[in-house]
Amino acid sequence: MEQYNNKTIILNINKWKISLFVFFALSGMAFSSWTSRTPEVRDILHASTSIMGWIIFGIAAGAIVGLVSASSVIRHIGARKAIALSVIILSLGLLIAGFSILLAIKLLVFSGLVVFGLGYGIIDVAQNVEGAALERSTNKTLLPALHASFSGGTLLGVGLGSLAISVKIPVFIHFIIIAFVIILFGVICIKYLPTATGKVDLITNHHSVSSPQTKVSIFKELRLVYIGIIVMGMALAEGTANDWLPILFVDAYQVTHVTGTIVYGVFLLAMLIGRMSGGFLLDRFGRVPILVSAAIIAVSGLAVVILDINFYFAAAGVFLWGIGASLGFPVGLSAAGDNPNGATERVAFVSTLGYLAFLVGPPFIGLLGESVGLLYALLVVIIAVLIAGLFSPAAKKIETKSS
């Protein structure tokens, strides 16, 4: 009987793991589906760089609400229900944005992106809380691989976006298809997630998939604040690429919309490679050396892009940019979840800071880019990554005993 129970536990954890990989991929695909069409959306709306910055800020505005409320939502209903809710909101926002682009009404596009951002903010925190709980349950480094799934999803979204552009599928139809896929796979996978991950009053036993949660004083833990700074710097590097790379290359390097989207795909491929190899590298070398190396690589790539030598050097710089930015976010979340007691609060806090930088920072890069150009606006990203590298020692693994 005990052997049977152990097999059942392993099977349930495997289903949990696979389903969580799917949700990370779906959220990535949703985001990059929007990004892959931004040059075309800009032309349809006749929007300047600053206006596009404000439109993109719609995602950030909705995400702020989602991110700030996510921790409370998870503590009350659990991460599974929070993910289910966010999938519905995310898909609805994508449909509203697509329909608004069809009508070419900027304010409605902004409104649709606010709804999209709301769902995106909630799911990002909830799935990272699930990921941290999965790491503790399996005693394995899994968050880099889960974020690799996100990158894989973004790469798939870009591929589908490039195909849609090539065969002239309207943005609205494209977004309907993506929303349908998200809902379909969400319905299939949601039942395999644990019912109560992240709930404060959860009582667990030896085989439980979650840990007891206690209230923590977030801002009194300097280590946690420093980890947040690391994640914010690296998340800004990732988010800036997600929002601006296609447009940046179309404008600065005079390439076609399809080529701009392909360059964005190069960045996502680099992110995927970095995150897929992250678990092995982290287990062998440790968090701090990897984070310092990642910061150096990201800064090098960004510098090559800014130098504006030629398209091919810039594309190589984008690849380095993606490799360097790939591990900061997941490593920071793993570090925040080292202590199982209060892990939900800590992971949610760091995740919120990261996604704020990921979503709110890029629109301001766009506003700055209107004055100095998008290439020179990337200097802000370089500074942020350098600061993240300086704070890397805070992510050193701590050994704790769960109570």
Side-chain angles (χ1 to χ4, degrees):
M1 180 63 71
E2 182 179 352
Q3 184 180 7
Y4 173 78
N5 288 337
N6 287 337
K7 287 182 178 179
T8 302
I9 291 166
I10 292 171
L11 180 61
N12 289 338
I13 288 179
N14 285 336
K15 288 180 179 179
W16 176 20
K17 185 190 301 183
I18 292 170
S19 297
L20 198 51
F21 271 98
V22 171
F23 280 111
F24 269 88
L26 290 176
S27 60
M29 183 180 68
F31 195 90
S32 65
S33 294
W34 154 254
T35 304
S36 68
R37 304 303 292 262
T38 50
E40 188 177 353
V41 170
R42 180 186 62 173
D43 292 348
I44 292 171
L45 299 179
H46 303 290
S48 64
T49 299
S50 61
I51 293 298
M52 275 302 292
W54 282 112
I55 291 172
I56 290 171
F57 184 73
I59 298 178
I64 290 172
V65 178
L67 292 167
V68 171
S69 62
S71 180
S72 177
V73 170
I74 293 166
R75 290 171 69 88
H76 282 87
I77 67 175
R80 182 169 87 165
K81 289 183 179 178
I83 290 174
L85 176 65
S86 60
V87 163
I88 296 171
I89 298 172
L90 191 71
S91 302
L92 179 62
L94 202 57
L95 291 175
I96 294 172
F99 183 68
S100 303
I101 292 165
L102 181 66
L103 299 177
I105 302 176
K106 298 182 182 70
L107 185 59
L108 283 181
V109 176
F110 174 86
S111 301
L113 293 179
V114 169
V115 176
F116 179 86
L118 175 63
Y120 193 80
I122 296 173
I123 196 171
D124 279 333
V125 176
Q127 65 190 10
N128 279 302
V129 168
E130 285 280 3
L134 181 60
E135 280 195 334
R136 294 191 300 273
S137 296
T138 59
N139 198 28
K140 294 180 180 178
T141 302
L142 292 172
L143 274 167
L146 287 167
H147 281 253
S149 184
F150 174 89
S151 297
T154 57
L155 196 57
L156 175 61
V158 165
L160 294 174
S162 298
L163 178 63
I165 294 171
S166 299
V167 299
K168 302 188 185 311
I169 295 176
V171 176
F172 178 51
I173 300 300
H174 177 199
F175 286 1
I176 288 177
I177 295 170
I178 297 300
F180 174 77
V181 171
I182 292 170
I183 292 292
L184 175 63
F185 280 92
V187 169
I188 293 171
C189 294
I190 195 67
K191 61 185 176 183
Y192 297 117
L193 300 183
T195 58
T197 301
K199 280 192 174 181
V200 182
D201 59 350
L202 183 64
I203 299 174
T204 63
N205 56 38
H206 178 67
H207 295 304
S208 175
V209 294
S210 300
S211 299
Q213 302 298 310
T214 57
K215 270 285 187 180
V216 294
S217 299
I218 296 295
F219 291 101
K220 292 183 180 179
E221 298 186 14
L222 279 180
R223 175 180 181 265
L224 194 63
V225 174
Y226 295 159
I227 290 171
I229 292 172
I230 296 169
V231 170
M232 288 180 74
M234 292 300 196
L236 178 62
E238 181 181 354
T240 299
N242 278 324
D243 278 350
W244 291 111
L245 257 182
I247 290 177
L248 186 151
F249 268 77
V250 168
D251 289 354
Y253 289 93
Q254 303 298 308
V255 299
T256 65
H257 290 175
V258 173
T259 302
T261 300
I262 290 172
V263 171
Y264 175 46
V266 169
F267 176 84
L268 297 176
L269 177 61
M271 293 282 291
L272 179 61
I273 292 171
R275 285 171 171 173
M276 286 181 66
S277 59
F280 169 78
L281 294 173
L282 289 163
D283 289 340
R284 180 163 185 176
F285 299 106
R287 292 172 182 166
V288 178
I290 292 300
L291 285 175
V292 172
S293 300
I296 293 171
I297 293 170
V299 167
S300 301
L302 282 158
V304 170
V305 173
I306 293 171
L307 286 174
D308 193 11
I309 300 172
N310 62 46
F311 169 78
Y312 297 103
F313 273 99
V318 166
F319 186 82
L320 292 177
W321 177 358
I323 289 287
S326 63
L327 291 175
F329 209 148
V331 171
L333 294 174
S334 291
D338 279 344
N339 187 347
N341 290 324
T344 293
E345 289 295 307
R346 292 186 181 91
V347 172
F349 172 73
V350 172
S351 182
T352 298
L353 289 181
Y355 283 113
L356 282 173
F358 180 89
L359 295 167
V360 178
F364 288 100
I365 295 294
L367 294 177
L368 180 62
E370 182 73 11
S371 300
V372 302
L374 281 174
L375 280 179
Y376 291 113
L378 294 180
L379 290 170
V380 174
V381 183
I382 285 183
I383 294 170
V385 173
L386 286 173
I387 293 172
L390 291 174
F391 279 91
S392 294
K396 184 177 180 180
K397 189 173 180 63
I398 59 172
E399 300 296 334
T400 61
K401 293 182 179 180
S402 58
S403 57

